[in-house]
Structures are given as C-alpha cells and as structure tokens.
Amino acid sequence: EAQVTQNPRYLITVTGKKLTVTCSQNMNHEYMSWYRQDPGLGLRQIYYSMNVEVTDKGDVPEGYKVSRKEKRNFPLILESPSPNQTSLYFCASSPYQSGTQYFGPGTRLLVL
Amino acid sequence: TQLLEQSPQFLSIQEGENLTVYCNSSSVFSSLQWYRQEPGEGPVLLVTVVTGGEVKKLKRLTFQFGDARKDSSLHITAAQPGDTGLYLCAGARGNQFYFGTGTSLTVIP
C-alpha cells in the first residue's frame, strides 16, 4: 500500500531534550516536506527536499533540522525543543514539486 | 505572514444548502490545490488547478482558479453531512507550498 509513515504518533518531552521524528514514504517520490499545524495558522512548511541530499528552508525553519540521505526517508530533528514547538507535525511526499502531496498521519508533540 | 487567506474560517450550515469558500492572496501561484482534512488525519487532495480561469468539478464540488492565479474558490452544492471537515487551499510558489488558514465546515443533518 502506498503510504507515508511517521513515528512516533504522539510524543511528550521536556525542554532541551533532543528528539527525532521519522518519516518514510514507499512511493519513490522526489519531493518531501515537513509542516507544522497550529490553530488559526493552518499548515506552515518547515523544510522541504527536492531530492536526496537537497534540502531547503520553508517558512518556519528556526529550531529544526532535516536530512535526506535516502530517497524514502526524511527525518525531522529538534536539537533543543522549546515549548513553542508544541504542535501537530505532518510529513508529506510528492512525485514532483507541484504534484499531489501525500500526507502522513501526523505526530502530536508536546514540549514541557 | 499568511500568504493565503481563507474565508470564512468557520461555517455551519443545514444539509441541502449551498456554500462557497474563498482562498485569496496578493501573490501569484503556479498551481493551487484544495485539500480536505478529517480530525486526527493528514490532509487529502481534492483537486489541483493550474491555469488561470480554470474550473474543475468533482461531483457536487466546483473549484475555480482566478484569472490572475492569485485566488481560488470552492463551491459545494446541496451540502451533505459527509462534507463536514476542514478545507485547506495550498499554493505552489517556487519550490515551496503555502497553505491557507483553513475553513472548518459543519453540515447539520
């Protein structure tokens, strides 16, 4: 089944404790993105990747890192999480930049 | 800064009524997509419009891309309870995607 998977689905952590949210797609898509969704603000793009080893900042990249060592995986790293990073995070993949985006199920993060 | 503004933010209507959701911007987009999101799930694509003035129909849903490719609208005819959800527009500009603030639709039986 074609899908985007994210792990974990739910995470509670404390300020400053490094964490990684994994994202994997099995559709051989070139383009992958991370978004955060907050009430009243919609989805905002954090980082995106056009292909392996090619990543770039989106609208709200501060406090986040990403890597794209393999085509299928696009992990999101929070080196030192802060409470303002509490949010619902979505990973998405697309066959090309303006194509249909397929979203993962989301990761709900709470930073205390 | 929100590049895409959606209105209304919330909409509650009776089954059988018609409605229109607007997605507006001062920026030009190469394409515009509409997604629907259910609680606890990721957004799912409804349609992509690419050409200025383009109109696409999906059963009772009609999507229009503005002539200048800066705005779009979603019209639902004879809304049904199954249409309840969060509707999001998203514009492609350069290599990035920009999402609207969303319209939460509730259709009351």
Side-chain angles (χ1 to χ4, degrees):
Chain A
E1 180 192 352
Q3 60 182 355
V4 178
T5 56
Q6 292 179 229
N7 282 292
R9 293 290 312 277
Y10 304 92
L11 181 58
I12 301 174
T13 189
V14 294
T15 299
K17 187 176 181 183
K18 180 179 178 179
L19 67 93
T20 299
V21 184
T22 64
C23 172
S24 183
Q25 51 97 1
N26 62 2
M27 296 170 279
N28 201 38
H29 284 170
E30 307 260 322
Y31 189 88
M32 295 185 76
S33 285
W34 275 104
Y35 295 89
R36 59 178 289 173
Q37 186 172 30
D38 302 288
L41 296 176
L43 282 103
R44 292 178 292 168
Q45 196 172 37
I46 302 170
Y47 268 94
Y48 63 93
S49 170
M50 301 287 285
N51 212 324
V52 176
E53 302 291 2
V54 181
T55 64
D56 213 339
K57 296 177 181 178
D59 239 9
V60 287
E62 295 78 21
Y64 305 94
K65 283 175 58 176
V66 293
S67 68
R68 186 98 182 268
K69 294 184 169 55
E70 305 164 283
K71 198 170 189 178
R72 62 185 292 124
N73 296 323
F74 190 44
L76 179 70
I77 303 154
L78 284 71
E79 294 269 3
S80 183
S82 62
N84 65 12
Q85 292 178 297
T86 292
S87 188
L88 178 58
Y89 291 87
F90 286 101
C91 178
S93 75
S94 175
Y96 51 93
Q97 181 269 327
S98 58
T100 301
Q101 294 192 82
Y102 295 85
F103 283 81
T107 295
R108 192 167 289 281
L109 172 65
L110 173 61
V111 183
L112 300 173
Chain B
T1 318
Q2 204 71 35
L3 215 58
L4 280 165
E5 296 286 344
Q6 278 184 247
S7 61
Q9 190 175 355
F10 299 96
L11 192 53
S12 181
I13 61 171
Q14 295 289 329
E15 181 177 359
E17 292 184 353
N18 302 333
L19 66 112
T20 302
V21 177
Y22 299 93
C23 176
N24 295 308
S25 177
S26 56
S27 301
V28 176
F29 295 96
S30 56
S31 66
L32 200 132
Q33 300 174 340
W34 282 93
Y35 290 82
R36 183 175 145 193
Q37 185 178 16
E38 303 281 358
E41 298 179 9
V44 175
L45 181 76
L46 294 172
V47 77
T48 299
V49 285
V50 179
T51 308
E54 183 177 0
V55 177
K56 278 193 175 178
K57 292 194 175 186
L58 189 67
K59 296 184 181 176
R60 292 176 295 101
L61 279 61
T62 301
F63 304 85
Q64 184 161 8
F65 201 10
D67 290 341
R69 290 187 290 130
K70 292 182 180 181
D71 51 75
S72 181
S73 64
L74 157 61
H75 182 79
I76 301 179
T77 303
Q80 298 177 1
D83 295 328
T84 293
L86 179 66
Y87 290 82
L88 298 158
C89 63
R93 192 159 176 262
N95 293 328
Q96 289 188 237
F97 268 98
Y98 298 89
F99 275 80
T101 44
T103 295
S104 180
L105 171 66
T106 302
V107 182
I108 303 164

